[in-house]
Amino acid sequence: NDADRAAGHQGPGDVYSTALTWAFNVSGHPALSLPAGFGADGCPAGLQLVAPYGREGLLLAVAREAERRGAGA
C-alpha cells in the first residue's frame, strides 16, 4: 500500500500492513501484539501495544489487563 511504499517498507499486501510496526523494531520500544478476534471478513485482528522505552513492566501489565478484559475473545 502507499503508506508502506512511502516508508520504504513493503508489507505483505493491502490487507496486512507493516507500515505502523517496523518503527518499534528500529527504536527499541517494547511492543507486543495480542490476538483480538476476527474481522467481518474472517481475517484475524490484533491489538498492538507499545510502551515507552524501558517500560517493559508497564507493557506487560497493560497486556495482562487487556487479556483479562477479553482481548482475543
Side-chain angles (χ1 to χ4, degrees):
N1 74 29
D2 290 337
D4 286 331
R5 284 188 287 283
H9 194 75
Q10 293 298 320
D14 291 335
V15 176
Y16 302 104
S17 174
T18 58
L20 301 177
T21 62
W22 67 269
F24 305 114
N25 293 335
V26 174
S27 71
H29 283 79
L32 59 79
S33 179
L34 294 173
F38 295 89
D41 60 358
C43 290
L47 172 65
Q48 182 179 1
L49 301 174
V50 181
Y53 186 79
R55 299 294 308 272
E56 290 85 356
L58 173 63
L59 176 66
L60 294 173
V62 171
R64 276 191 296 273
E65 184 63 17
E67 285 185 325
R68 188 184 75 74
R69 291 181 183 225

